[in-house]
Amino acid sequence: MRKLYALLIVFATCLFAGCDENGDRGYYEDMDRIYFVKDSIICRLGEMQMGVETYTVQVPLKVLGRPWSENRMFKVNVNRKLTTAPEHIYTSLSSEFVVMKDSVNACIPIELLRDRIDPMVDTVYQIVLDLEVNDTFGFGVQEKLQSKVVFSNYLQEPDWWYALEFVYWGAYRPEKYQKMMEFWGGPISFEEYASRMIQVVLCGKKMYDYFKLHPEFGMEFPEATPWPYE
């Protein structure tokens, strides 16, 4: 019986402590804490249109606490041991960012410099961010104190490319496929190629015409091959 009373007392103590911590209106009333909403963000730069030279990733964070009537700063560091992206392919980050007044949400913008990443090299990079304690914020959820942006500018040659490589679109270049995806509205699967070959060839003709009008890109094609379905 004494053990039962002791357990009830412990339970009641924890219950009241929890109420105090979160406040009568449901807000967290201890020191406000901040955490990453996502532990990773994947960015496939190679699938974007060929004219996109930079792309800004927004890394979201959230505050455990109530909104303030003034802006608040929080600190973030790039984890140099875990980050594999060289510094010249993304814009340097500040160590401090802001949670705007009347909000519990924030974002860290990371500008990826796509035009500096070789599209023919199959390399996956990552930028790893760590939260830091400051005078305004403590740490939030333990598993949400680190986030990473994973990205690549490589666009794999589609399985169907080789079939008409020596007839119409020539040796594979990511720029050619990116332009075809732009006209098509997205990646072209092997199933789409097999069932809609005429439409794919017409899409390739649009790509061919574009690069013939823009020889500055240096795209090469088979010589004197008449395109069908003109």
Side-chain angles (χ1 to χ4, degrees), residues 76 78 80 90-95 97 108-111 127 129:
V76 172
V78 175
R80 299 298 176 185
Y90 66 96
T91 301
S92 298
L93 295 175
S94 168
S95 61
F97 297 88
I108 299 173
I110 301 180
E111 184 183 41
I127 301 171
L129 305 177

Side-chain angles (χ1 to χ4, degrees), residues 34 36 59 61 73-84 87 90-97 108-110 126-134 139 144-149:
I34 193 165
F36 287 109
V59 182
L61 299 97
M73 305 301 295
F74 63 94
K75 298 191 71 174
V76 172
N77 277 330
V78 175
N79 188 315
R80 299 298 176 185
K81 290 183 179 180
L82 298 180
T83 294
T84 60
E87 294 183 1
Y90 66 96
T91 301
S92 298
L93 295 175
S94 168
S95 61
E96 284 195 318
F97 297 88
I108 299 173
I110 301 180
Q126 68 176 20
I127 301 171
V128 181
L129 305 177
D130 290 328
L131 281 170
E132 273 200 10
V133 172
N134 64 4
F139 283 155
K144 298 291 186 178
L145 304 184
Q146 187 178 87
S147 185
K148 60 185 176 182
V149 175

Side-chain angles (χ1 to χ4, degrees), residues 121-170:
V121 178
D122 186 7
T123 303
V124 177
Y125 302 100
Q126 68 176 20
I127 301 171
V128 181
L129 305 177
D130 290 328
L131 281 170
E132 273 200 10
V133 172
N134 64 4
D135 294 337
T136 305
F137 293 108
F139 283 155
V141 183
Q142 191 66 31
E143 295 78 17
K144 298 291 186 178
L145 304 184
Q146 187 178 87
S147 185
K148 60 185 176 182
V149 175
V150 181
F151 62 99
S152 172
N153 195 29
Y154 180 71
L155 182 61
Q156 184 174 353
E157 178 180 336
D159 294 339
W160 47 264
W161 190 273
Y162 76 95
L164 297 176
E165 177 178 347
F166 300 103
V167 181
Y168 298 128
W169 30 72

Side-chain angles (χ1 to χ4, degrees), residues 12-228:
T13 302
C14 293
L15 180 62
F16 286 122
C19 292
D20 288 341
E21 182 181 50
N22 292 289
D24 295 334
R25 291 177 294 173
Y27 288 115
Y28 189 85
E29 294 185 348
D30 192 2
M31 181 181 187
D32 283 356
R33 302 174 187 277
I34 193 165
Y35 61 93
F36 287 109
V37 175
K38 299 180 179 180
D39 57 6
S40 64
I41 298 174
I42 298 174
C43 186
R44 297 177 177 87
L45 298 174
E47 294 184 3
M48 297 179 184
Q49 294 184 13
M50 58 173 292
V52 177
E53 296 184 351
T54 66
Y55 180 77
T56 301
V57 183
Q58 300 288 348
V59 182
L61 299 97
K62 198 169 188 67
V63 173
L64 184 63
R66 69 176 70 204
W68 280 22
S69 58
E70 60 187 52
N71 294 346
R72 291 176 287 175
M73 305 301 295
F74 63 94
K75 298 191 71 174
V76 172
N77 277 330
V78 175
N79 188 315
R80 299 298 176 185
K81 290 183 179 180
L82 298 180
T83 294
T84 60
E87 294 183 1
H88 73 277
I89 66 172
Y90 66 96
T91 301
S92 298
L93 295 175
S94 168
S95 61
E96 284 195 318
F97 297 88
V98 63
V99 177
M100 301 299 291
K101 67 177 184 178
D102 302 324
S103 178
V104 293
N105 299 298
C107 279
I108 299 173
I110 301 180
E111 184 183 41
L112 306 178
L113 307 178
R114 185 192 186 199
D115 58 340
R116 299 185 183 181
I117 308 172
D118 190 342
M120 295 294 287
V121 178
D122 186 7
T123 303
V124 177
Y125 302 100
Q126 68 176 20
I127 301 171
V128 181
L129 305 177
D130 290 328
L131 281 170
E132 273 200 10
V133 172
N134 64 4
D135 294 337
T136 305
F137 293 108
F139 283 155
V141 183
Q142 191 66 31
E143 295 78 17
K144 298 291 186 178
L145 304 184
Q146 187 178 87
S147 185
K148 60 185 176 182
V149 175
V150 181
F151 62 99
S152 172
N153 195 29
Y154 180 71
L155 182 61
Q156 184 174 353
E157 178 180 336
D159 294 339
W160 47 264
W161 190 273
Y162 76 95
L164 297 176
E165 177 178 347
F166 300 103
V167 181
Y168 298 128
W169 30 72
Y172 176 74
R173 286 288 306 178
E175 295 91 338
K176 293 180 180 180
Y177 186 30
Q178 286 162 356
K179 184 55 66 173
M180 287 184 70
M181 287 195 298
E182 181 181 334
F183 292 130
W184 189 263
I188 305 172
S189 69
F190 187 84
E191 290 73 21
E192 288 175 308
Y193 171 79
S195 62
R196 302 171 62 190
M197 183 181 294
I198 292 176
Q199 288 89 343
V200 174
V201 172
L202 288 173
C203 183
K205 179 63 165 58
K206 291 181 181 179
M207 174 269 292
Y208 171 86
D209 290 341
Y210 175 85
F211 284 117
K212 282 299 181 180
L213 288 174
H214 296 277
E216 66 272 17
F217 289 106
M219 297 295 113
E220 297 181 352
F221 299 90
E223 295 183 6
T225 300
W227 286 77

